[in-house]
Amino acid sequence: MSQTATEERDLPASAYGEAELSDYWALLKPRVMSLAILTALAGMVVAPGSMHPVMAFCAVIFIAMGAGASGALNMWYDADIDAKMARTATRPIPRGKVPPDEALTLGAVLGVSSVIGLGVLVNWLAAGLLGMTILYYVIFYTAYLKRRTPQNIVIGGAAGAFPPMIGWAAATGSVSWESVLLFLIIFVWTPPHFWALALLRVRDYERAGVPMLPVTAGADETRRQILIYSILMAPIGVLPTFVGMGGWIYLAVSVIGGAAFLYGAIRAYVDRAEDQRAMQSLRRLFVISIFYLFALFGVILVEHALGLAGS
């Protein structure tokens, strides 16, 4: 733990402004939480059998709580580096709205409650996976990998890929290779998605001392890695069609989306000059990557709701 972070935690609560409800909501990283909810729901609906609506609702709530807990604990631990980065300087702790100890308490309470609630009301396999995901993200990624290795987002990205497996486990009480395929889609998607952002914010990471790949290996190598992962991503994204988890709509969306993803990665690789065109290519790739993943898992939900999956 850095000296700066320690000093921030030693500040009295009176040093912080009056927090609003929106500040505590921001601690939960609602955009990341929405992705966790979407992918967990997809895991539930493609799982064999049926799940009682009340049980499914409880599972989604607890998974959302667990994702929010991870976000709050991440912001608590990363308060020192968040204050040095333009992208994160407006978060509640560096902005002086929420004391770090309140973020820690919120994250811990939500985390423990989500795991216990999911275990008691749904099943303990899903709860165990949720607890492992929170610990993996907070301890293994945030506290260790992020500050020590340029492969932080590759290894740490597994935390964001677990929700569909948790959803599958909530519905079936087991884990299967189909849920692992959904995990794999998110796992391979994460590096090119995040490295596009890291290239746009490389000065932030340099200033904060975070060894992201663009900082340690340079922009050209990062673009090459983005292209490699994108080439892997495109065919993997299509696979659910051939194992009964997606129908013809999913096939069309995954093929078109994968082609757009790959084209964006190629443009980012070709446009290497440090100019406005190169930055525009990276921004385009980042936006494409967001729409791509939400589209894949959103279509899974729509097809299953309409009874079109596997058709």
Side-chain angles (χ1 to χ4, degrees):
M1 183 109 28
S2 70
Q3 183 64 29
T4 303
T6 302
E7 290 172 353
E8 285 185 5
R9 288 171 177 76
D10 289 340
L11 291 175
S14 60
Y16 292 85
E18 184 176 348
E20 300 177 1
L21 184 60
S22 60
D23 295 311
Y24 292 104
W25 176 244
L27 282 175
L28 306 183
K29 295 190 175 182
R31 285 181 293 184
V32 177
M33 185 193 298
S34 67
L35 180 60
I37 293 172
L38 175 66
T39 57
L41 268 172
M44 286 183 205
V45 301
V46 300
S50 61
M51 191 175 185
H52 192 283
V54 174
M55 298 290 284
F57 176 78
C58 290
V60 168
I61 292 298
F62 290 127
I63 292 169
M65 286 172 58
S70 298
L73 293 170
N74 171 269
M75 288 199 194
W76 164 75
Y77 193 90
D78 277 351
D80 57 329
I81 61 176
D82 281 351
K84 299 174 183 177
M85 300 175 61
R87 184 175 68 90
T88 56
T90 57
R91 286 176 173 176
I93 298 176
R95 194 157 51 93
K97 300 295 289 185
V98 177
D101 60 343
E102 290 188 10
L104 173 60
T105 300
L106 176 64
V109 170
L110 285 177
V112 172
S113 301
S114 66
V115 173
I116 293 176
L118 190 60
V120 171
L121 295 179
V122 183
N123 66 66
W124 286 105
L125 176 61
L129 287 172
L130 179 61
M132 179 188 69
T133 301
I134 296 170
L135 292 176
Y136 189 99
Y137 182 72
V138 175
I139 296 177
F140 193 50
Y141 169 69
T142 301
Y144 183 75
L145 292 172
K146 185 174 182 178
R147 305 187 187 216
R148 287 172 174 81
T149 171
Q151 293 299 311
N152 47 24
I153 201 63
V154 177
I155 306 169
F162 277 119
M165 293 182 68
I166 299 171
W168 184 287
T172 66
S174 65
V175 172
S176 74
W177 64 269
E178 292 98 335
S179 66
V180 174
L181 175 56
L182 297 178
F183 167 94
L184 187 62
I185 290 173
I186 305 173
F187 182 75
V188 179
W189 167 87
T190 301
H193 163 75
F194 207 91
W195 281 334
L197 176 62
L199 281 167
L200 291 167
R201 299 290 186 175
V202 63
R203 300 292 175 258
D204 268 358
Y205 288 109
E206 287 177 346
R207 186 164 50 251
V210 179
M212 294 299 295
L213 190 63
V215 176
T216 61
D220 286 352
E221 176 60 20
T222 303
R223 285 182 168 90
R224 190 178 75 87
Q225 292 292 326
I226 286 174
L227 183 57
I228 290 171
Y229 275 91
S230 299
I231 292 170
L232 293 173
M233 176 75 262
I236 291 174
V238 178
L239 290 179
T241 304
F242 302 102
V243 294
M245 290 194 289
W248 66 267
I249 300 176
Y250 179 90
L251 177 61
V253 170
S254 61
V255 169
I256 295 170
F261 199 125
L262 186 55
Y263 174 77
I266 292 171
R267 291 307 316 168
Y269 182 76
V270 172
D271 297 334
R272 299 190 183 199
E274 296 295 331
D275 56 16
Q276 188 61 34
R277 181 176 177 178
M279 295 302 102
Q280 184 177 358
S281 294
L282 290 169
R283 290 189 191 97
R284 185 186 302 116
L285 175 60
F286 182 72
V287 172
I288 288 172
S289 70
I290 294 173
F291 278 103
Y292 173 77
L293 197 69
F294 272 92
L296 289 192
F297 284 88
V299 167
I300 286 176
L301 294 179
V302 170
E303 284 192 328
H304 279 263
L306 298 177
L308 299 175
S311 61

